[in-house]
Amino acid sequence: MSEFSKSITATEADIDELGHVNNAVWVPWIQDVAVSHWYAIAPADYVDRYIWVVIRHEIDYLRAVLPGETVTGRTWVPEPPRGARFDRHMEFTGADGKLRVKAKTTWAIIDKATGRPLRVPPEVAAPFLA
């Protein structure tokens, strides 16, 4: 299984009235780490032919992240795709090593030419599962 990590630092714009990263901010962070993983692994012709869309998010908020704090998002795909979709797991940890947020997202692949979902080609899935 191919893992990917990316660090993100909370800015003032990410902070809510409770003084920590707003729950709604985690969704774009999850997407950013996942899309960065795709671009890091996929050959250019795959990027040109396919796009991924989220069809489900499950997010567990475990600990607060404060302004200026950096978290590391780690993502992986634990099992082969099912038809047009696969599940991606994600964990965000703080500098102290403690888990802040964990998530499972389900993504579907879309053929850019037709705008329609398609069965994930084995060669597209392979680098995520290596």
Side-chain angles (χ1 to χ4, degrees), residues 101-119:
V101 164
K102 66 180 182 176
K104 178 177 148 186
T105 59
T106 304
W107 293 75
I109 193 169
I110 305 292
D111 181 312
K112 285 183 178 180
T114 66
R116 299 184 52 85
L118 70 149
R119 183 172 288 281

Side-chain angles (χ1 to χ4, degrees), residues 33-50:
V33 174
V35 170
S36 295
H37 188 199
W38 167 245
Y39 285 126
I41 288 181
D45 61 319
Y46 292 0
V47 172
D48 291 342
R49 290 171 39 200
Y50 308 115

